[in-house]
């Protein structure tokens, strides 16, 4: 029987990355923000698709290529339907695709703001002595693991560092400075709370 309280945190970034581009109207480099709209053009059997961005200062537009000169038969039907209907969910995934955006913009600004959903996967046998957090990342984020733990569990970063140094907090996969790096999908964080006087308060904050 386990004394480990197992929870899942589903993390969803809330602010899409912004490319910094030369704006012709502003005559300087400005951040551009996604408009939430896509554009699809057809030239015979060839298709071009873009995600439309707008300058944060003057509303000038920039078309971020999704694909170009693609034969209609090579575009899967789900993608084609999403583009034709400006599907919000599909467009959001493209907007948060930081790797794809970097291929078209030299400088990209990222944000650490997220929305969090907590789910209990397995309640612990009392007393609960360990906390295990399974992290489910909807899309990439710049939010560091230690900052996430600090915000959600009410632990100072100094205390998190102390728990790490004494081997009472660990990550899977492990790695040097894992807690000081951005959260990764399917990462697990385990905290030994056996000797912590505020164990119950931490456990309470970990769940929904």
């Amino acid at each position: 029987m386990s004394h480990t309280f197992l929870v899942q945190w589903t993390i969803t970034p809330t602010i899409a990355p912004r490319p910094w581009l030369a704006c012709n109207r502003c005559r300087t480099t400005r951040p551009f923000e996604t408009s939430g709209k896509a554009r699809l053009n057809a030239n015979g059997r060839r298709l071009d698709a873009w995600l439309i961005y707008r300058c944060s200062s003057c509303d000038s537009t920039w078309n971020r290529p999704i694909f170009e000169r693609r034969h209609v038969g090579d575009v899967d039907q789900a993608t084609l339907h999403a583009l034709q209907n400006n599907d919000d969910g599909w467009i959001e995934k493209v907007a948060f695709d930081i790797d794809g955006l970097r291929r078209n913009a030299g400088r990209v600004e990222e944000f650490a703001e997220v929305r969090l959903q907590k789910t209990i996967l397995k309640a612990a046998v009392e007393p609960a002595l360990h906390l295990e957090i399974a992290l489910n990342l909807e899309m990439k984020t710049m939010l560091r693991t230690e900052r996430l733990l600090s915000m959600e569990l009410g632990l100072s970063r100094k205390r998190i560092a102390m728990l790490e140094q004494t081997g009472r907090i660990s990550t899977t996969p492990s790695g040097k400075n894992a807690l000081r790096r951005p959260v990764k999908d399917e990462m697990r964080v385990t905290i030994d709370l056996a000797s912590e006087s505020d164990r119950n308060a931490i456990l309470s904050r970990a769940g929904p």
Side-chain angles (χ1 to χ4, degrees):
M1 302 181 74
S2 175
H3 292 277
T4 299
F5 182 47
L6 175 60
V7 296
Q8 177 177 277
W9 289 359
T10 300
I11 302 162
T12 306
T14 57
I15 303 177
R18 303 193 304 180
W20 280 68
L21 305 164
C23 177
N24 292 331
R25 188 178 297 175
C26 294
R27 297 185 181 279
T28 188
T29 302
R30 297 286 193 192
F32 279 64
E33 300 171 346
T34 176
S35 68
K37 300 293 182 182
R39 179 183 173 190
L40 181 67
N41 277 1
N43 185 354
R45 301 291 291 173
R46 300 287 175 177
L47 300 177
D48 299 299
W50 303 273
L51 184 60
I52 302 171
Y53 285 71
R54 297 188 182 280
C55 174
S56 60
S57 297
C58 73
D59 222 30
S60 291
T61 60
W62 171 64
N63 292 336
R64 169 188 167 185
I66 299 173
F67 56 75
E68 296 178 296
R69 310 301 296 164
R70 183 81 59 83
H71 191 278
V72 64
D74 294 332
V75 180
D76 69 82
Q77 289 301 305
T79 297
L80 191 58
H81 182 270
L83 286 165
Q84 291 172 331
N85 294 276
N86 270 297
D87 181 84
D88 291 340
W90 188 89
I91 288 174
E92 182 181 47
K93 288 183 179 180
V94 176
F96 278 91
D97 177 12
I98 184 68
D99 296 326
L101 183 56
R102 285 199 179 106
R103 287 195 288 270
N104 301 113
R107 176 185 174 190
V108 178
E109 181 181 9
E110 299 179 69
F111 301 90
E113 286 75 9
V114 299
R115 180 173 65 252
L116 199 65
Q117 179 180 340
K118 300 176 181 179
T119 306
I120 297 174
L121 297 182
K122 186 177 181 182
V125 176
E126 293 296 335
L129 302 178
H130 298 85
L131 170 63
E132 184 173 347
I133 306 167
L135 299 175
N136 176 32
L137 194 59
E138 295 282 297
M139 289 167 281
K140 283 186 177 181
T141 176
M142 284 301 293
L143 179 63
R144 293 188 301 179
T145 306
E146 65 173 359
R147 183 180 173 192
L148 174 67
L149 297 175
S150 178
M151 291 189 306
E152 297 302 323
L153 299 180
L155 302 174
S156 68
R157 295 187 188 181
K158 181 178 180 181
R159 186 174 177 190
I160 291 172
M162 181 270 294
L163 289 169
E164 182 184 21
Q165 290 167 6
T166 55
R168 284 178 286 168
I169 184 169
S170 61
T171 63
T172 304
S174 59
K176 186 177 181 180
N177 297 323
L179 293 178
R180 283 164 287 287
R181 297 182 183 277
V183 177
K184 292 184 177 180
D185 188 33
E186 298 186 352
M187 184 179 186
R188 291 213 173 198
V189 179
T190 303
I191 307 175
D192 181 352
L193 298 172
S195 60
E196 304 302 312
S197 61
D198 57 346
R199 178 179 70 233
N200 290 336
I202 295 172
L203 292 167
S204 177
R205 287 191 287 265

